[in-house]
Amino acid sequence: MRIVSLLPSATEIICGLGLRDQLVGVTHECDYPADVLNLPKVTQTLIPTDASSKQIDSLVRERLKTEYALYSLDMPVFESLSPDLIVTQTLCDVCAVSQREVSDAACALPNAAQLLNLEPTCLADVLDSIGQVAAAAGCGAQGERYRQSLQQRIDAVARRSKSIAHRPRVMLLEWVDPPFSAGHWSPELVAIAGGEEVIGVAGERSKTTPWETILAADPEVMIIACCGFDLARTQQDLPILQSYRDWERLSCVRNNRVYMVDGSAYFSRPGPRLVDSLEILAHALHPDTHPLPAGLSAAIAVAPR
């Protein structure tokens, strides 16, 4: 089978299922596991590489009005790969190739390709996505084993969290300029890890959050996980965050409990590494209860201004 992935998270699922040798094309954002970087890229972005966070936010809002995505297919490359299975998504309206464009492209292929749309909004949906991809690729039993291995890691964190007496008020910040609270699966991860998300709502979309709302919520812990940004790019926006009114008043700032993580690699992607995200988050919230698994990097504490 020849598989094309139009999502970084789907690429990670496909490789986690042991189907790397059947993967023939990926997006320009797919970077894990590392050897997928050598595969043909079937998408391109309209976002300038030097765009600021505010500019990216403006581009997204403008595209939402017009129903045009910020990503598009490279049709010559896409057609040359002759995929049998195309894995895409319907979760985000602008931050991936639009469903309509993918459907039209699939119909234009000379062969009848199977189109699989993923739309996870919670952790269980993400695990279900593994089963969907496995079924479409004809390896259902393999998918069930993979899902169970991830579920066991989730359950281990949940068991340890039962002993936690104080669950700190947590905000998982998904964007800095303007501030966004994290929705979908993120508040669920916070709860399993032993915290209480004070703004984001599980299963709902991430949303713009007035700074006054964050000040009023006064989180004891803040986790900065900017959607699509790695640590270096997130670091660039820290001065913006620290310039907001009464930043120093927040409990998380006064107690040195502001942390930064690689949002692109972890919390943003609804794939297998959400379990890594959970383990990193749990260790940041309760390091004495949740040891950091080997191979994972701890959340980075943000130094005071």
Side-chain angles (χ1 to χ4, degrees), residues 70-89:
L70 284 164
Y71 300 84
S72 61
L73 280 174
D74 186 324
M75 281 303 297
V77 174
F78 180 74
E79 291 175 347
S80 72
L81 296 175
S82 301
D84 303 303
L85 173 62
I86 305 160
V87 187
T88 185
Q89 62 93 45

Side-chain angles (χ1 to χ4, degrees), residues 239-275:
I240 298 173
L241 181 62
Q242 294 168 331
S243 71
Y244 287 137
R245 180 177 62 84
D246 291 332
W247 163 256
E248 295 85 357
R249 254 188 48 204
L250 290 171
S251 294
C252 57
V253 177
R254 289 188 285 107
N255 296 322
N256 294 320
R257 298 212 68 189
V258 179
Y259 302 96
M260 180 175 62
V261 295
D262 186 333
S264 177
Y266 299 109
F267 294 82
S268 303
R269 294 185 183 181
R273 286 198 291 172
L274 277 188
V275 181

Side-chain angles (χ1 to χ4, degrees), residues 52-71:
S52 69
S53 293
K54 185 176 284 295
Q55 289 170 333
I56 294 171
D57 179 70
S58 297
L59 282 169
V60 170
R61 292 177 192 274
E62 186 62 34
R63 288 283 163 162
L64 282 170
K65 294 177 186 176
T66 61
E67 297 186 353
Y68 286 103
L70 284 164
Y71 300 84

Side-chain angles (χ1 to χ4, degrees), residues 188-260:
E188 186 180 0
L189 295 180
V190 171
I192 297 170
E196 176 191 353
E197 170 62 59
V198 292
I199 298 179
V201 178
E204 296 190 2
R205 289 180 179 271
S206 304
K207 61 181 181 181
T208 312
T209 304
W211 183 247
E212 291 72 19
T213 300
I214 298 173
L215 287 175
D218 192 26
E220 296 171 82
V221 182
M222 179 179 287
I223 308 291
I224 306 167
C226 293
C227 183
F229 282 2
D230 62 14
L231 286 169
R233 182 60 185 83
T234 301
Q235 183 89 34
Q236 293 179 30
D237 279 4
L238 288 182
I240 298 173
L241 181 62
Q242 294 168 331
S243 71
Y244 287 137
R245 180 177 62 84
D246 291 332
W247 163 256
E248 295 85 357
R249 254 188 48 204
L250 290 171
S251 294
C252 57
V253 177
R254 289 188 285 107
N255 296 322
N256 294 320
R257 298 212 68 189
V258 179
Y259 302 96
M260 180 175 62

Side-chain angles (χ1 to χ4, degrees), residues 1-287:
M1 177 174 284
R2 298 175 62 80
I3 306 173
V4 164
S5 169
L6 299 182
L7 295 168
S9 57
T11 297
E12 295 182 19
I13 290 173
I14 291 162
C15 293
L17 288 167
L19 303 175
R20 168 62 183 83
D21 60 334
Q22 299 181 41
L23 188 63
V24 296
V26 295
T27 77
H28 64 282
E29 289 188 320
C30 292
D31 56 9
Y32 187 88
D35 65 348
V36 302
L37 289 167
N38 299 320
L39 289 171
K41 307 297 186 293
V42 297
T43 63
Q44 49 203 1
T45 179
L46 300 177
I47 300 175
T49 56
D50 59 349
S52 69
S53 293
K54 185 176 284 295
Q55 289 170 333
I56 294 171
D57 179 70
S58 297
L59 282 169
V60 170
R61 292 177 192 274
E62 186 62 34
R63 288 283 163 162
L64 282 170
K65 294 177 186 176
T66 61
E67 297 186 353
Y68 286 103
L70 284 164
Y71 300 84
S72 61
L73 280 174
D74 186 324
M75 281 303 297
V77 174
F78 180 74
E79 291 175 347
S80 72
L81 296 175
S82 301
D84 303 303
L85 173 62
I86 305 160
V87 187
T88 185
Q89 62 93 45
T90 54
L91 179 65
C92 183
D93 296 320
V94 294
C95 294
V97 181
S98 71
Q99 184 182 8
R100 180 184 303 174
E101 183 177 358
V102 176
S103 297
D104 290 346
C107 290
L109 292 172
N111 57 310
Q114 180 182 359
L115 183 60
L116 177 61
N117 277 305
L118 305 177
E119 193 175 3
T121 60
C122 65
L123 194 53
D125 289 347
V126 173
L127 297 181
D128 287 344
S129 296
I130 293 171
Q132 291 175 266
V133 174
C139 59
Q142 198 168 321
E144 183 56 29
R145 288 193 297 272
Y146 188 33
R147 176 186 176 134
Q148 287 179 1
S149 69
L150 294 171
Q151 185 66 61
Q152 287 169 2
R153 291 167 59 193
I154 296 168
D155 292 343
V157 175
R159 280 194 302 272
R160 292 194 298 268
S161 290
K162 286 181 179 179
S163 66
I164 293 168
H166 173 65
R167 291 175 172 261
R169 302 187 313 278
V170 178
M171 182 186 185
L172 209 156
L173 188 71
E174 193 172 274
W175 201 251
V176 168
D177 192 18
F180 266 71
S181 58
H184 300 306
W185 45 82
S186 293
E188 186 180 0
L189 295 180
V190 171
I192 297 170
E196 176 191 353
E197 170 62 59
V198 292
I199 298 179
V201 178
E204 296 190 2
R205 289 180 179 271
S206 304
K207 61 181 181 181
T208 312
T209 304
W211 183 247
E212 291 72 19
T213 300
I214 298 173
L215 287 175
D218 192 26
E220 296 171 82
V221 182
M222 179 179 287
I223 308 291
I224 306 167
C226 293
C227 183
F229 282 2
D230 62 14
L231 286 169
R233 182 60 185 83
T234 301
Q235 183 89 34
Q236 293 179 30
D237 279 4
L238 288 182
I240 298 173
L241 181 62
Q242 294 168 331
S243 71
Y244 287 137
R245 180 177 62 84
D246 291 332
W247 163 256
E248 295 85 357
R249 254 188 48 204
L250 290 171
S251 294
C252 57
V253 177
R254 289 188 285 107
N255 296 322
N256 294 320
R257 298 212 68 189
V258 179
Y259 302 96
M260 180 175 62
V261 295
D262 186 333
S264 177
Y266 299 109
F267 294 82
S268 303
R269 294 185 183 181
R273 286 198 291 172
L274 277 188
V275 181
D276 292 359
S277 306
L278 171 63
E279 292 167 336
I280 292 169
L281 174 62
H283 178 71
L285 297 184
H286 303 285

